[in-house]
Structures are given as structure tokens and as C-alpha cells.
Amino acid sequence: MTFTHFIFGNLSFSALPENAIAWGGALTVIFGAVIVLALITFFNAWTWLWREWLTSLDPKRIGVMYILVSVVMFVRGLFDVGLMRVQQATSVGDAHGILTATHFQEIFSAHGSIMIFFVAMGFMFGIVNLVLPLQIGARDVAFPFLNSASFWLFCAGAALINLSLIVGDFSTAGWLSYPPLSELAYSPTSGVDYWIWSLQIAGIGSLLSGVNFLATIVKMRAKGMSYMKMPMFAWTVFGAMTLVVFAFPVLTVTLALLSLDRTLGMHFFTAAGGGNMMMYVNLIWAWGHPEVYILILPAFGIFSEVVSTFSGKKLAGYASMVYAIWAIVFLSWLVWLHHFFTMGAGADVNAFFGIMTAVIAIPTGVKIFNWLFTMYRGRIRFTSPMLWFMGFVVLFTLGGVAGVVLSEPVADYQLHNSLFLVAHFHTMIVSGVLFGYFAGVTYWFPKVTGFHLNERWGIRAFWLWLVGFILAFGPLYILGFMGATRRLDHYDPSMGWQGLFIVAAVGAFLIMLGFLCQIIQLVVSIRDRKLNPDTTGDPWYGRTLEWSMRSPAPEYNFAVLPEVTERDEFWVMKQAGTAHAAAPIYEDIAVPRNSGAGILIGAFAVVIGFGIIWHIWWLMIVGLIGVAACIIVRTFDEDTERVISASEVARIETMKTI
Amino acid sequence: MNPTPTNDYFADIGFWPKGTGVRHYIIGLILALVLTIIPFALLEIHLTSKHETFTHPFLMAVAVVCALLQFLVQVAFFLHLIGRGVSRERLAIFGGASLVVAILVGGSLWIMTDLSARMIAPPSDSQMELYMQDQGGF
Amino acid sequence: MTQYKPEEIAADSKSVFGFFTYLMTDLVLFAALFATYAVLHSGVFGGPTSEEIFNAPFALLETVILLASSFSCGLSLLAARRGNSRGVLASLAITFVLGAVFVVLELSEFARLAASGVGPGVSAFLSSYFTLVGTHGLHIIIGLVWMTALGISIYARGLTRGNMRKLALLSLFWHFLDIIWIFIFTIVYLSGIIL
């Protein structure tokens, strides 16, 4: 090995972007980063940023950062959408659109990977961080430092997948990288390795977050809050985190085995050597199916909160909602083969998984009926969170019915990997996961910031998303029945598909306008924050504990830890007139000290990933030693808390916030 | 949720039930040793004798049963998950994990053997080797 | 005996639960590796099979050593309960030595195999064997590093509450690894020789 090869591994100038659009992506990342760094420097904000945000162990801060990263990654994911929609609307017959086939493949692979791992998961963990401790009457999560480390591992994964725009390429093997295409023989470049390591590192962060939130729910509920008195959002997080804890190790193993094949020449999934590539598909979907329930359950929880608050009624069928969550958690382990009915299993295997897939629709149906029963005879306020719910309930039900169609193996033989499938899962994720998280952000925004989001722009965003989604994906259901498969970068005009693809492109454009409205909404809301303050801490007349303190919630959440005797304790207290104690007795409160070790671990994780991807082994070792050192030094640190004195608590409780 | 502290820190934090003592570890060690030695001994007898002393399925069954029993022994005596005063939450998580493990391993085996049974007989390894050499390898 | 405050006990109880939850994720991780081994162990690609390379007495030796180390780890907890920091360090040292011997034995086995051309890149069977057993070995090594750090901390600071808690977590980890080993020696070594 030459000295240059030792230092630089497989890096060379040919790793830089190859065409105009690729350069566009690279330069956007570079200039975006430069502009952000320049702005921070210009406003002399480095110390503030470091102290108040980057090293904070406060889950309310970490939650905001998760959501901000998700929004940035969402921009990239939407860009991918634009490119794909333009390509599929124009690449017909003699025309070949704006992208080469390879580039198109990289883009749809990046789109799916980013949307699932860095938008949906990030958004979810962000909202859980912001809301869960408040809802269960706790001051923090179970392991605050682990929380920070998990967030920075998530960022490390995002950093790597963005680095792939600048140096090297990305996987062309879809968002799940099936072998043999993802093996070294057919993907010899750095692309699949970027995919593997950005997901692996972010996945470890997710796994640790799952452990953290699970322990938080089990061990840190307020005194008197038995499980059956928890808010429904907390229950859905309980179910989702149970899934995280049991599913993510399978992803870790599967990604590791693929990387062992690629990097160390092993033979898990190669035909040569006696491997079995179908085992990859089996394992990745054993993780992949629980993953989609990990994403949707918290969204269901948000809807439970939103619907009951804006109907002015308690949630219908609380117990059945809880059983439905655990039915979903259990059943999600018994359906994963429905993602590969066509891989060739026998009728008995396919039938079992098909039946289980149909069955898992039932608990979701229970939840939908309960939300509707909650609305029935309620005093409904059609705020934007409720609008998101209503868009969800119609679209998700229809998309779910499409799922039941797909659950039938014989039908699936026609529809597998068609645009019908693509339309189905986007309906689930957009109208379910995204609409739910949008509703949640709007709902809890005042609690986190102390002011409201601008409702008018929120409503505009909703309608653009709703109409845009119907236009973007309605045609895809039809195209699927017409025989269009997914991931096509070119087709013949005789198929008669182009018109529908053009409609879909228009829909995608409307969605982007909707997203733009959300950005405008944020900017306008910040500009107008003094005009829309949340002065009471309870802007929606809510039912649960997070509304019982001022907005924004102080660092320690509760000046006096609550004691709970009922479900919807805060609502009960308000009806009884005991919601705000006259003169609470304050005590000293211990909160975690800030720590820079989290961001250091994330930085070293990027180094590890980059080193392995480019076969720069000394760099990988530096990264590994760095991570190990951070962890070991942290474990020797005994001074990890600081005390907020009782008088300081009193001052914070009574100060004006906006 | 806050037990009155006793002289047993480990019991207070829910690590082991009160009254855990060295006898638990000794019983665990002895049982585990016995359950380890039985399958190895039977295998050794089988291998060193001139004729087939035991059938293969029998040896496998003994090995698997001893493994599962030793698993329970170690879970009970070393991880302290069985007995009075055991931590309910840890038992629940352990139960959930065991269920997932069973589904994952059992399900994967069911699916993959089903798929394998439906494959055209693959070329023998030597045929494959020759073919790959002919193609210039991977 | 030190009496700890209720909130300290609650915090440490939380740590035990959280770490145990992490161990359950590790259980699923090993299950995925076992599933892979079970599916791929017949993929020998004309190369060495399990009965050709596995040695029952060797596996038995490794098993007994690990079992003994599990026992000595338990002794360290019993010593800690009595406040006997010397006893803790002595049992931890024994545990460390036994664990280190285990690692050395395993590494020498891997080296012997690799030297005779039987490496993980030869066949799917060998890839899954080396990865499954190697992952377990890697966990043992991490446990040894942890044991060293904890030993240093106990030597320097005594049986503080933090050290007591970490000892409990380490012992959970160590016992868990022995439990995984039960399945390795049964499913990999024993059945590899029997079948």
C-alpha cells in the first residue's frame, strides 16, 4: 500500500460530483453550511449557541434541535421529489428527462432514506423529547446525557448522508439496498457504504433513545400516575419505544452484515460463497415493518390528544385504545413477509402473513372509530390541528384500505412494487405520520416557545398539502393498476401514463407550496410573537399535565412535582378549581449540567463513518478511540448536576416570558 | 416506588431479591456445570465409541434441552429474574424480548427453509467454483 | 452500612432498568446473528464444514472458564454488599483473568483457522460463524475494558454509590454474555459436531 493510499484510502478527485445537478446539490450543502456558520459568527452567537443549545441536556432544547434538523433534511427530500416528478413527467419516448438513469436511482434511494430516517424519525424523537416528560409529570428523561448523545448520533448520520453529495456518490439500490445490487460486485463505489453508515450511526442513536424513553415512562411517571392514568400520547410512545428497542437491533445486524460483505469480503448475501440474499430481505423487513409502526403510533397519540382537546371531550374508549396499541405492537412482529410475498414462499407462508396483515388493520380501525366517537356530540373547534386530523382520517382510511388490498398475496403479485404500492405507503406516511406530526407541532408549539403559530398560514399550508397530496398520489393509485412499476426513469408514450404523471407533478408542486407556507408561518409567527403570546400556559384549554405550567415551560418543567389521582388530571383539577395552587412551596431543584461530550461523540462518529466508507483505516481508529474516550471520561465524571435554588425557582415561576 | 432503604443496596435498587446470598450463585454454578457437561459427555462417548451409541436427533435434543434449562438456571440464579421479590418490569421486558427472539429466529427459519425448498437445486459447490473460474471470478 | 436517600435509590433503580433494557436489545441483536447462522450454516461452498473445524473439548474448556468467571463476578457483588472493597477487587481480578484467558483462547482459535486458510471470507457458513462468535468475543473485550476502568475507580475512590451501581450493571452485562455463550456452544459447536 502506497503512502498516499494509506492516508487517503479510496478518496480521489473522481469522487467529486460529475454533472450539473450533482454539483448543484454539493454546492447547496457547502454554501448552506458556510452561510449558517457566517451568520452565527456575524451575530456573535457562538457562546450562546454552545451553552444554550449544543451542549444542553434539556430535552426541550434537544427536541427543538431534532425538529430543526428534520426540517432541513425535509428540504432535501422535497428537492428529490421535485427532480423525480419532473423526470417522470417528461422522460417519455425520445425524451430522457433531466437525469441520467444512475442519478435518478441515487435520488430515489436518497429520497426514501432521508424521509424515513432523518425526517420522520427525527421529527418523532423531537416531539417525544418536547412532550413526554411534561405529560407524565417528570422533569427530564431517564438518561439526559444519553439523550444528547443520541441526538448527536442522529446528526452524524445526517452529516454523512449530506457529505455524500459532495464527496462520492450515493447508493442506487433503493432505500433498503437489497443485495446483490448493493454488494460490492454491482455497487463498487462509495454510495452503498454512505447509505450503510449514515443509517447505522443514526440507528444506534435511535436505539439508545428507545431505551431512554422506555425507562422514562416506566420509572419516571408522577406519583399516583398509574399506567391507566397516563395520557394517550404517552401510551403510544410506550408502544413505539418498545418496538424501537426490539426492532432496531435487527437493523444494526443487517447493516453490519452487508458492510462485512462489502468491506471484509464476507459472504452473507452473495451467491458466491454460499450466501443467501433473500436472508437480507427477510431480516431488513423484520426491522422494516415494526419501523413503520414506530413512526405511526406517536402520530396516533397526537391525534388522540388533539381530538379530545378540540372536541372538549375526554377520549372515547381509553382502555380499548390502550389494547389497540399493544395489539399493534404485537402484531407488527407477525406481518413482515408481506413486503416480499413475491419472493417465492409457499402458499402456507404467504397465507399466514397475509391474514396477519389484514388482522392488524383491525386495531387501527378501533382507534379511528374512537376518535370519531370522541368528536361525536363534542364542541368542536376547527383549529389547524383539527384540520390535519380530518385530512388524516379520510386519507389514511382510504390508504389503509389499499393496504388491505395489498395484504392479499394473490393481489399483491400484481401490485407488488407498482405505483399502487408507492401510493399506499405514501398515503400512510404523509396523511398519517406527517399530518400527525404537523398537528402536534402546532398544538404544542406555544408550550415550547411561549407564543402561537400563525393560524392563517397554517390553514393555507393544510389545504395546499391536502389538495397537493391528492393530486400527487391519486394518479399513482391509477398508474399502479395500469401496470406502472416504481422507480421508472423512462417509459414509452404508448403506455398512456404521461398525463397522470404530469398531474402528479402538479400535486408535488402544490405540496412544496404548502411546505413553503409552513416556513412562512414560522417566520411570521416569530416576527409576531409578542402579538400572539401564550399568557396562561394553557392556550387550548387542555386536559393533561403539560398545560399546567407557564409557557414556555421552564428548564425544570414543574416547580413542584405533581401528584396525580385521575386520568386527565389537569382537566379534573380545573373543573374542581384547584388547578393553580395559591402559594406553592418551592424547593431546590437539581438539573443536569451541560455537556460537550454528546456533540464530540457525534463528531467522532462522523469520522468513524467517513473512515470506513473511504477505507481510511487510521481515521476510523481515531474516531473509535475518540468515541471510547468520550464515554470513559464521562463515566468518571461525578459532578453532572447543578442546583437551581428555591428562590431562583420562585423568580422563574413569576417572571414575564414574552 | 421508593422502598425503605435496607442494608442491601442491591436489593433496594431492584437488582436482586432480598435475601440473595452466595448459595444462589453456588447452586447456579453447579447446575450450570452439570447441564454443560451432560451434552459434552454424551457427545464424547458417542464420538469415541466404535459404533453409534446415540442417534443424532437424540444428541441434539439433549443438547437443546440442557441449553434451555441452563438458560433458565442462569436467568434465575445469576440474573435474578425468577423468585419472590423479582423486578416485574425487568421480567416484562425480558418476556417481550424472548418473544421477539422466538418470532425472529423461528419465523426466519420457517420462511427461509420454505424458500429454500422451492428453489431449483443449486449447482454443487464444485460446479459453482468451475463456473466462476470460467467467468473470471467476481 | 451507608444509607442512601430514596431519590438516590430511585435513580439507581432507573439505571438498572435502563441498562437491562439495553441488554434485551443486545439479546435481539444476537438473535438476529443466530438466525443468520442457522440459515447460512449449510452454505459451506465446498469449503470446510462445522464438524471439520470445531473441537468439542476446546469449546468445553472455554465454556467452563466463562462459567467460572460468571461465578467470580457474582462473588464481587456479594463482597460489595459487605462493603469489602478488597474482596471486590480480588473477585473482579479473577473475573478479568478468566475473561482474558477466554479471549486469548478464542483469538488463538481464530488465528489457527485463518492461518490454515479457513477465514470468514471463504463461505457463508464461515462468515456467520466468525461474526457470531466474534461479536460475542468483542462484547467480552468491551466488558474487560469496563472491568478495568471500574477496578481503577474502586481502587481510587472506594465503594461509592456510583461504583456500586456500575458494579451491578457490569455484572448484568457479564452474566448476559455467559447466557449468550450457552447458545453459542450449543447451536454452533455442539450441533456443528453432532449434525
Side-chain angles (χ1 to χ4, degrees):
Chain A
M1 181 190 287
T2 67
F3 182 68
T4 330
H5 196 210
F6 172 76
I7 294 289
F8 293 105
N10 291 341
L11 266 180
S12 72
F13 284 111
S14 63
L16 289 170
E18 286 183 337
N19 62 53
I21 295 184
W23 269 109
L27 291 174
T28 310
V29 174
I30 296 174
F31 283 130
V34 166
I35 290 173
V36 167
L37 295 174
L39 280 173
I40 300 172
T41 314
F42 177 74
F43 286 110
N44 212 357
W46 281 107
T47 322
W48 168 84
L49 192 68
W50 183 259
R51 204 184 46 229
E52 295 293 322
W53 292 94
L54 303 183
T55 60
S56 170
L57 300 195
D58 182 351
K60 299 185 291 299
R61 294 285 158 101
I62 293 175
V64 169
M65 290 195 286
Y66 261 116
I67 294 178
L68 284 176
V69 173
S70 302
V71 168
V72 169
M73 295 306 282
F74 193 56
V75 171
R76 186 173 158 191
L78 275 184
F79 237 97
D80 291 334
V81 171
L83 290 170
M84 286 190 290
R85 281 280 138 264
V86 168
Q87 177 73 11
Q88 292 193 315
T90 59
S91 173
V92 188
D94 291 334
H96 284 271
I98 52 173
L99 302 168
T100 62
T102 308
H103 200 188
F104 181 77
Q105 290 157 13
E106 286 179 63
I107 287 172
F108 67 63
S109 307
H111 167 78
S113 307
I114 288 171
M115 289 303 203
I116 297 280
F117 289 97
F118 298 107
V119 178
M121 289 296 276
F123 225 139
M124 189 264 290
F125 282 130
I127 295 178
V128 174
N129 260 298
L130 291 173
V131 176
L132 181 72
L134 289 171
Q135 269 209 339
I136 62 172
R139 289 218 159 101
D140 206 327
V141 295
F143 308 112
F145 174 71
L146 196 65
N147 201 12
S148 168
S150 299
F151 168 69
W152 287 110
L153 287 173
F154 167 77
C155 287
L160 278 171
I161 208 171
N162 285 324
L163 272 175
S164 77
L165 278 176
I166 306 172
V167 180
D169 57 352
F170 195 67
S171 168
T172 56
W175 79 279
L176 283 181
S177 292
Y178 286 3
L181 178 58
S182 56
E183 292 278 0
L184 207 56
Y186 298 103
S187 289
T189 62
S190 59
V192 174
D193 299 304
Y194 266 115
W195 178 85
I196 289 174
W197 290 102
S198 69
L199 265 59
Q200 184 75 294
I201 292 170
I204 291 174
S206 298
L207 180 63
L208 297 174
S209 287
V211 174
N212 210 342
F213 293 128
L214 202 60
T216 306
I217 292 173
V218 172
K219 287 296 203 179
M220 295 181 71
R221 281 163 292 126
K223 188 148 174 257
M225 187 184 275
S226 64
Y227 285 114
M228 290 307 263
K229 298 197 177 81
M230 279 201 310
M232 194 49 60
F233 177 70
W235 269 117
T236 57
V237 174
F238 196 178
M241 294 305 115
T242 306
L243 284 173
V244 168
V245 150
F246 293 143
F248 267 81
V250 181
L251 177 71
T252 308
V253 165
T254 315
L255 293 176
L257 297 183
L258 184 63
S259 81
L260 284 173
D261 271 3
R262 289 178 59 85
T263 314
L264 292 183
M266 297 205 196
H267 292 292
F268 291 101
F269 310 122
T270 59
N276 190 340
M277 56 211 73
M278 297 190 286
M279 186 56 176
Y280 178 94
V281 175
N282 175 60
L283 282 175
I284 202 90
W285 280 114
W287 162 81
H289 196 83
E291 163 69 5
V292 308
Y293 287 101
I294 289 166
L295 292 177
I296 196 66
L297 279 173
F300 286 167
I302 292 173
F303 285 130
S304 291
E305 303 294 338
V306 162
V307 170
S308 65
T309 298
F310 293 113
S311 303
K313 280 176 69 194
K314 73 172 198 249
L315 185 65
Y318 180 96
S320 65
M321 291 293 251
V322 173
Y323 299 141
I325 291 168
W326 291 104
I328 290 173
V329 167
F330 174 61
L331 287 170
S332 73
W333 283 101
L334 294 177
V335 300
W336 82 89
L337 185 128
H338 72 229
H339 298 274
F340 48 96
F341 279 135
T342 58
M343 199 158 78
D348 48 355
V349 175
N350 276 354
F352 171 78
F353 282 98
I355 294 171
M356 287 291 114
T357 306
V359 166
I360 202 174
I362 297 174
T364 305
V366 165
K367 291 180 108 45
I368 301 220
F369 279 116
N370 273 322
W371 290 316
L372 297 177
F373 291 152
T374 309
M375 287 176 73
Y376 180 68
R377 290 189 168 226
R379 299 207 58 199
I380 302 178
R381 295 177 272 158
F382 287 100
T383 56
S384 57
M386 265 315 253
L387 291 178
W388 290 115
F389 169 73
M390 304 199 71
F392 151 81
V393 87
V394 173
L395 289 176
F396 191 83
T397 307
L398 290 172
V401 166
V404 179
V405 170
L406 289 163
S407 77
E408 215 284 293
V410 177
D412 187 70
Y413 261 74
Q414 292 295 317
L415 296 169
H416 175 66
N417 274 353
S418 70
L419 286 181
F420 185 87
L421 168 71
V422 173
H424 159 72
F425 67 69
H426 279 92
T427 309
M428 299 291 101
I429 298 182
V430 174
S431 76
V433 176
L434 271 192
F435 282 18
Y437 295 170
F438 291 159
V441 166
T442 311
Y443 183 59
W444 282 304
F445 190 88
K447 179 54 55 182
V448 176
T449 60
F451 56 96
H452 284 264
L453 275 174
N454 182 292
E455 181 74 348
R456 218 166 355 114
W457 281 102
I459 293 178
R460 285 172 191 154
F462 165 72
W463 286 110
L464 282 167
W465 268 96
L466 185 72
V467 174
F469 177 83
I470 293 171
L471 285 179
F473 288 98
L476 263 56
Y477 282 105
I478 303 169
L479 282 165
F481 276 134
M482 289 168 76
T485 62
R486 68 193 297 193
R487 299 174 176 172
L488 285 174
D489 72 291
H490 177 267
Y491 52 92
D492 199 271
S494 63
M495 306 307 295
W497 296 338
Q498 186 171 25
L500 289 168
F501 273 117
I502 293 175
V503 174
V506 171
F509 178 65
L510 288 180
I511 289 177
M512 290 183 201
L513 285 181
F515 177 69
L516 186 61
C517 286
Q518 289 169 310
I519 301 295
I520 295 174
Q521 179 193 35
L522 187 63
V523 171
V524 164
S525 308
I526 294 175
R527 182 197 71 191
D528 292 345
R529 64 189 180 278
K530 296 211 203 299
L531 303 174
N532 282 318
D534 171 17
T535 46
T536 61
D538 184 16
W540 312 115
Y541 206 67
R543 311 179 70 87
T544 41
L545 284 176
E546 73 267 30
W547 306 112
S548 68
M549 83 290 292
R550 60 144 232 222
S551 295
E555 183 180 1
Y556 46 78
N557 295 348
F558 299 90
V560 178
L561 283 172
E563 284 190 28
V564 164
T565 50
E566 307 263 350
R567 209 175 278 166
D568 288 349
E569 172 76 11
F570 182 57
W571 178 266
V572 168
M573 285 162 67
K574 278 194 290 190
Q575 307 310 311
T578 58
H580 296 283
I585 303 169
Y586 298 121
E587 293 183 339
D588 291 350
I589 298 178
V591 292
R593 278 192 197 282
N594 285 20
S595 173
I599 187 171
L600 275 180
I601 287 176
F604 280 120
V606 176
V607 169
I608 295 173
F610 195 80
I612 300 180
I613 291 168
W614 292 103
H615 293 209
I616 309 174
W617 306 118
W618 64 265
L619 194 63
M620 173 192 81
I621 292 176
V622 165
L624 284 168
I625 293 177
V627 170
C630 286
I631 295 174
I632 293 179
V633 167
R634 172 76 188 183
T635 60
F636 275 93
D637 186 357
E638 306 240 297
D639 178 31
T640 55
E641 289 187 328
R642 65 176 220 282
V643 172
I644 303 182
S645 66
S647 52
E648 177 70 7
V649 172
R651 190 188 68 81
I652 295 172
E653 287 296 295
T654 48
M655 73 188 233
K656 199 162 161 20
T657 49
I658 288 291
Chain B
M1 278 205 279
N2 285 331
T4 41
T6 62
N7 274 335
D8 188 345
Y9 167 80
F10 296 118
D12 292 339
I13 64 174
F15 174 77
W16 61 29
K18 279 199 268 280
T20 303
V22 71
R23 66 189 180 286
H24 289 94
Y25 285 98
I26 292 178
I27 297 173
L29 177 66
I30 292 175
L31 283 177
L33 270 172
V34 166
L35 289 168
T36 304
I37 293 191
I38 291 177
F40 274 102
L42 290 185
L43 179 63
E44 191 60 20
I45 296 172
H46 175 87
L47 288 174
T48 53
S49 68
K50 290 198 192 84
H51 56 276
E52 299 253 314
T53 325
F54 309 106
T55 63
H56 286 201
F58 173 75
L59 285 169
M60 268 314 301
V62 168
V64 168
V65 165
C66 284
L68 288 172
L69 285 176
Q70 196 187 144
F71 171 67
L72 289 173
V73 161
Q74 291 214 22
V75 161
F77 292 101
F78 291 166
L79 285 187
H80 313 289
L81 277 180
I82 298 178
R84 253 184 311 140
V86 86
S87 159
R88 285 243 210 113
E89 308 148 333
R90 286 205 282 135
L91 196 54
I93 287 265
F94 174 70
S98 304
L99 192 58
V100 167
V101 165
I103 292 173
L104 184 65
V105 176
S108 295
L109 277 172
W110 183 37
I111 294 168
M112 299 308 292
T113 48
D114 188 274
L115 285 171
S116 171
R118 310 179 75 77
M119 298 270 277
I120 305 170
S124 72
D125 292 327
S126 49
Q127 283 175 314
M128 185 67 166
E129 189 75 50
L130 276 171
Y131 172 78
M132 281 176 52
Q133 277 168 9
D134 184 58
Q135 297 290 310
F138 271 128
Chain C
M1 269 286 24
T2 336
Q3 290 288 19
Y4 296 112
K5 294 184 237 161
E7 57 267 19
E8 292 176 325
I9 296 288
D12 292 350
S13 165
K14 191 178 54 173
S15 296
V16 168
F17 177 77
F19 187 75
F20 187 78
T21 306
Y22 155 71
L23 282 182
M24 293 299 100
T25 73
D26 232 356
L27 182 66
V28 175
L29 187 133
F30 276 106
L33 288 173
F34 272 110
T36 305
Y37 180 82
V39 168
L40 294 178
H41 78 273
S42 51
V44 292
F45 202 61
T49 62
S50 49
E51 56 188 10
E52 289 165 23
I53 58 173
F54 292 156
N55 181 334
F58 189 75
L60 179 62
L61 177 65
E62 287 180 310
T63 307
V64 170
I65 287 175
L66 211 57
L67 196 51
S69 77
S70 222
F71 180 72
S72 61
C73 186
L75 290 181
S76 76
L77 279 172
L78 293 164
R81 181 168 67 179
R82 291 191 306 272
N84 178 359
S85 64
R86 285 215 181 161
V88 172
L89 288 172
S91 336
L92 275 185
I94 296 172
T95 312
F96 182 92
V97 165
L98 289 168
V101 169
F102 175 88
V103 170
V104 165
L105 283 175
E106 195 158 86
L107 282 176
S108 73
E109 176 70 8
F110 280 9
R112 184 185 69 79
L113 286 172
S116 52
V118 179
V122 167
S123 66
F125 156 65
L126 286 169
S127 296
S128 33
Y129 164 71
F130 276 97
T131 303
L132 172 60
V133 177
T135 302
H136 177 267
L138 196 60
H139 277 75
I140 295 277
I141 291 174
I142 291 175
L144 293 176
V145 170
W146 183 0
M147 221 178 283
T148 311
L150 186 57
I152 294 174
S153 183
I154 293 175
Y155 183 75
R157 296 182 183 157
L159 289 173
T160 61
R161 181 183 136 229
N163 284 339
M164 294 279 275
R165 180 185 70 239
K166 288 169 190 169
L167 193 60
L169 301 185
L170 174 61
S171 82
L172 281 178
F173 188 65
W174 201 254
H175 293 309
F176 168 78
L177 288 177
D178 197 30
I179 288 176
I180 299 292
W181 183 258
I182 303 172
F183 291 105
I184 292 183
F185 83 72
T186 306
I187 295 174
V188 175
Y189 292 104
L190 280 179
S191 47
I193 299 172
I194 293 172
L195 289 174

